[in-house]
Amino acid sequence: MELANLSSLVSSLDAIKAVTPFALSNIMDYREVCGLVEKKACLFLRRDSAMLLLVPHHDSFYDIFYCAQDTSALKSILADFKNSYDGPYYARISVIGKEAQIIPVSRIFEECGFTLSKKKARTQHKPTANTVESMTALQSPRSRDDNSGYTVSFAAAGDEEEILSLLLEEFDGCDDDVPELEAIKDSIEKKEIVVSRDNGIMTALNYFKLKNHTCYSWYDVTRKEYRHKFEFFDLYNYRADYFSRNNIVINRYVGWRNPANRRLMKFAARFNEFPDGIYVHVYRSGACRRGNSNSSVIHIKTLET
C-alpha cells in the first residue's frame, strides 16, 4: 500500500486496459477520480492485473475504486487488501452494471468480508408534452406569490453547510455517497443545486449534474414537515425553466431509485420514469459513519508493491 499519485494511477490503469478492454471497474468518471487523487491523501494498491484506489470520504471511511483484468485478479487484490490493515477498518465498495454482470463481483465482495448495504436501480425518462404539463399544473401557488415568503432559486455561496445537513437528514453518508462540503461548494458555483425556502428556512433541494446533454438527478430532499406541500414540483419547474431560458438541451434524465420502494417506483412511473436495467450494489466493511465525523480513517500497513 502506498500514497497514490496521478502518474502511478494512470500507468496502472493503462497497463490493465492494454491487456483487456473489458476490465472490471467501478470508475465511472475518470476525470473526477483523477481530481480526487490530486486533492486528497489517497491510498493505492497495485498488482500487474489489478489495482485498488482508496479515497478518504467525510474523514470517516474510504471509498474503494478498483480496476482488474478479471474476477480472479479482483479477488486476489482484495484478499491482499484485507491483509494490509491493523484492527477494524471502514470502507465502501460498489459495483455497477446489469444484474448478470453484478452477481459474480458481488460474490467476491462478500467472500472478502464486505456486507451488502444498499441496492439502487437507475431510471431514465424523456419528458413528453404531457409530462411537462403535469409538472406545471402541480406547481405550488405560493411560488407565484411574491409576498408569501416562499422562494425557489439556485443555492448560493454560504449554503453548503445547510445543504449538507439537509442531505444527511434523509440520506446515509456512506451508502448514498453524500458529497463533502468542497464538492457541494463546487456544485453551487456550477448552478447544480436548486433550493426552496420558507421565510429563510431551506425546505427542499434538488441536486443534479449536467453532462453530454444528460441531466443526472442525484438527490431530492424535502423536510418532513413540508412534504405535504409537494415543493419538489416547484424545484423541477424552476430547473426546467432555467434550461429553456439558457437553451440547454436535455436529451434524457437519469436518476437512482430504491427498487424495493414500490410506492416511489409507482409514483415515478406516473411521470414516464422507468428502470433501464442498470443497478448499483453498495457494500461496506465496518461501521461507515453516517455524518461528517472527525474520526480518523483506518491505519493501513505499508506493503511492498
Side-chain angles (χ1 to χ4, degrees), residues 142 150 196 203-204 222 226 229-235:
R142 294 195 303 157
Y150 174 73
S196 59
T203 55
T222 303
Y226 290 90
K229 297 181 179 181
F230 297 99
E231 292 182 1
F232 62 89
F233 289 117
D234 299 334
L235 306 185

Side-chain angles (χ1 to χ4, degrees), residues 205-223:
L205 68 83
N206 169 244
Y207 199 129
F208 64 95
K209 296 283 185 181
L210 292 179
K211 186 177 181 180
N212 298 328
H213 300 291
T214 297
C215 180
Y216 297 87
S217 285
W218 289 115
Y219 309 99
D220 287 297
V221 186
T222 303
R223 293 190 189 277

Side-chain angles (χ1 to χ4, degrees), residues 12 39 65 72 75 79 111 119 138-139 141 144 149 152 154 162 165 172 190 200 210 237 242 257 287:
S12 183
K39 295 176 182 177
F65 293 95
S72 61
K75 184 175 181 179
E111 289 171 3
K119 294 182 180 181
L138 291 168
Q139 190 171 352
R144 305 184 184 94
V152 178
F154 282 110
E162 191 172 8
S165 176
D172 185 279
K190 293 178 180 178
L210 292 179
N237 281 308
Y242 171 78
R257 305 285 187 182

Side-chain angles (χ1 to χ4, degrees), residues 145-171:
D145 184 355
D146 294 336
N147 299 316
S148 66
Y150 174 73
T151 60
V152 178
S153 66
F154 282 110
D159 287 340
E160 55 273 6
E161 292 275 5
E162 191 172 8
I163 289 170
L164 178 59
S165 176
L166 187 53
L167 286 172
L168 289 173
E169 285 182 16
E170 181 68 20
F171 297 104

Side-chain angles (χ1 to χ4, degrees), residues 55 57 94 266:
V55 179
H57 202 59
S94 61
K266 186 176 180 180

Side-chain angles (χ1 to χ4, degrees), residues 25 30 39 55 80-81 83-84 91 98 103 131 150 185 216 247 254 258 293:
S25 178
Y30 177 77
K39 295 176 182 177
V55 179
D80 286 347
F81 167 70
N83 295 326
S84 68
K98 296 182 179 180
I103 290 173
T131 304
Y150 174 73
K185 289 179 182 178
Y216 297 87
N247 298 314
V254 175
N258 180 357
S293 77

Side-chain angles (χ1 to χ4, degrees), residues 90-108:
Y90 307 99
R92 173 185 65 198
I93 192 168
S94 61
V95 56
I96 182 172
K98 296 182 179 180
E99 284 285 4
Q101 300 168 321
I102 284 178
I103 290 173
V105 177
S106 293
R107 286 174 180 162
I108 291 172

